[in-house]
Amino acid sequence: MRSDEWNDLFSEARLRTLASAVHARSTTPERSTDSHCTAAAWHGLPLYMIRDSRVDVIVSGRHPRRSSADIRRHYCPLPESDVVVIDGMRVTSLERTVYDVVRTVSLEAAVVVFDAALRSVAWDDETRTYDEAAAERFRTAIRERVRAHSGARGIRQARFVTEFADGRAQLAGESIIRLWCYQLGLPAPELQYRVNFADGGYALLDLCWPALRRWLEFDGLFKYTDAELMAGRSVEEVFADQKSRELRVRAATGWDCDRCGFAEARTIADFADFLRGIGMYPFIG
């Protein structure tokens, strides 16, 4: 690839591209399955603050080979029930991938991955509704894996993330903000809170505190670059629609709206400073 094309790719696309290249050039007979963050990339899960230059694979065989500059090999049991095929590649299943990832990445990245996995199995884009039963079935499956491997690496973090995850988070930034609100002692926000309008329309608010009469919108880059989210609109039209929506919600509820992006949420300290600026931190309930 040209370097400018590579630099324009997000982490997930980089890992998929790297994995394809590594497997294409492989001349060894080992039977491997893409796993961990590489599998997450194949499943379309966001990799928050992860810039990995190696492909993760689980390998079976009696004569282990060491990891290399391009490949990180994991030697552990992998039943065929934990394997799926995506774009011709052997990849760990969504359940196995989430279980492996949430134990081995940062807490923020783990919450982002689990939230996105829950959303993939429980959120209906057409009806804009969340299937709690489907989400709970997936959560239970991961919970059972965690319970079965109480001494595994990162299991304490996996236990917390399994209970904390919420697939109603639409973007990685919303997952991060929700986690940091918890760590900073703020009340838990309601995600995708529905506000009905008199004309029969409605709005879903990113993060909302009804008791405090305010909500927070996360303005991530995807809102202005993702074709599905933009739905054929220009950036200017997206901004105009957001403003119109905000005014309608204010008229319907009387609640205050604050906006936050990655500029205000690079770190938890930056986010705490942002919350101080809008009078929400430290929280006095």
Side-chain angles (χ1 to χ4, degrees):
M1 294 183 68
R2 289 170 35 179
S3 60
D4 58 337
E5 294 175 333
W6 176 260
N7 292 334
D8 285 341
L9 296 179
F10 287 106
S11 298
E12 303 82 15
R14 287 189 179 190
L15 268 180
R16 290 193 297 268
T17 303
L18 183 60
S20 296
V22 165
H23 292 306
R25 79 176 189 186
S26 176
T27 58
T28 63
E30 71 179 14
R31 183 175 176 81
S32 65
T33 302
D34 286 355
S35 64
H36 295 75
C37 288
T38 306
W42 284 118
H43 283 286
L45 304 178
L47 299 174
Y48 174 76
M49 298 296 286
I50 295 174
R51 287 287 185 176
D52 208 337
S53 60
R54 291 199 290 179
V55 174
D56 282 294
V57 297
I58 293 178
V59 183
S60 59
R62 297 178 58 186
H63 304 288
R65 300 173 59 198
R66 293 183 177 180
S67 297
S68 65
D70 293 329
I71 302 175
R72 185 184 296 108
R73 292 179 172 85
H74 305 266
Y75 294 93
C76 55
L78 182 66
E80 282 300 306
S81 58
D82 277 355
V83 178
V84 298
V85 176
I86 300 177
D87 291 344
M89 298 289 185
R90 282 176 56 89
V91 179
T92 52
S93 66
L94 184 63
E95 287 181 15
R96 176 60 184 264
T97 298
V98 170
Y99 168 73
D100 285 336
V101 170
V102 298
R103 295 183 297 111
T104 55
V105 299
S106 71
L107 177 58
E108 286 84 359
V111 170
V112 168
V113 162
F114 208 138
D115 280 4
L118 283 174
R119 188 174 183 86
S120 72
V121 302
W123 181 261
D124 188 318
D125 278 325
E126 185 175 343
T127 62
R128 303 183 76 187
T129 56
Y130 188 63
D131 187 338
E132 294 280 2
E136 191 56 30
R137 284 194 296 271
F138 186 86
R139 190 192 312 276
T140 297
I142 305 299
R143 188 183 289 132
E144 290 173 355
R145 290 177 185 263
V146 170
R147 288 174 178 167
H149 300 87
S150 58
R153 173 190 172 191
I155 208 69
R156 182 178 297 179
Q157 173 171 290
R159 191 175 295 116
F160 167 79
V161 175
T162 299
E163 304 308 323
F164 184 78
D166 191 326
R168 292 173 298 169
Q170 184 178 27
L171 299 173
E174 295 172 25
S175 298
I176 298 303
I177 285 176
R178 188 169 60 87
L179 172 64
W180 287 346
C181 284
Y182 169 82
Q183 292 177 320
L184 292 170
L186 272 71
E190 295 194 34
L191 306 182
Q192 301 301 313
Y193 184 88
R194 178 167 175 146
V195 172
N196 294 313
F197 300 137
D199 62 3
Y202 67 92
L204 297 177
L205 310 184
D206 289 349
L207 303 102
C208 181
W209 292 267
L212 303 179
R213 299 178 59 80
R214 65 192 309 165
W215 87 95
L216 180 66
E217 289 289 298
F218 183 81
D219 293 330
L221 178 62
F222 275 106
K223 286 189 176 180
Y224 312 108
T225 60
D226 185 88
E228 183 177 345
L229 292 176
M230 294 182 72
R233 299 170 295 169
S234 67
V235 172
E236 293 76 15
E237 289 171 329
V238 172
F239 273 116
D241 287 347
Q242 284 184 340
K243 187 62 177 178
S244 173
R245 173 178 173 274
E246 181 180 325
L247 291 174
R248 294 189 73 190
V249 173
R250 285 179 181 271
T253 64
W255 299 350
D256 291 327
C257 175
D258 296 288
R259 292 190 172 275
C260 174
F262 279 118
E264 295 80 20
R266 289 186 295 266
T267 67
I268 189 172
D270 290 332
F271 184 59
D273 286 341
F274 166 76
L275 292 176
R276 288 188 188 95
I278 62 174
M280 286 189 66
Y281 183 73
F283 177 75
I284 301 175

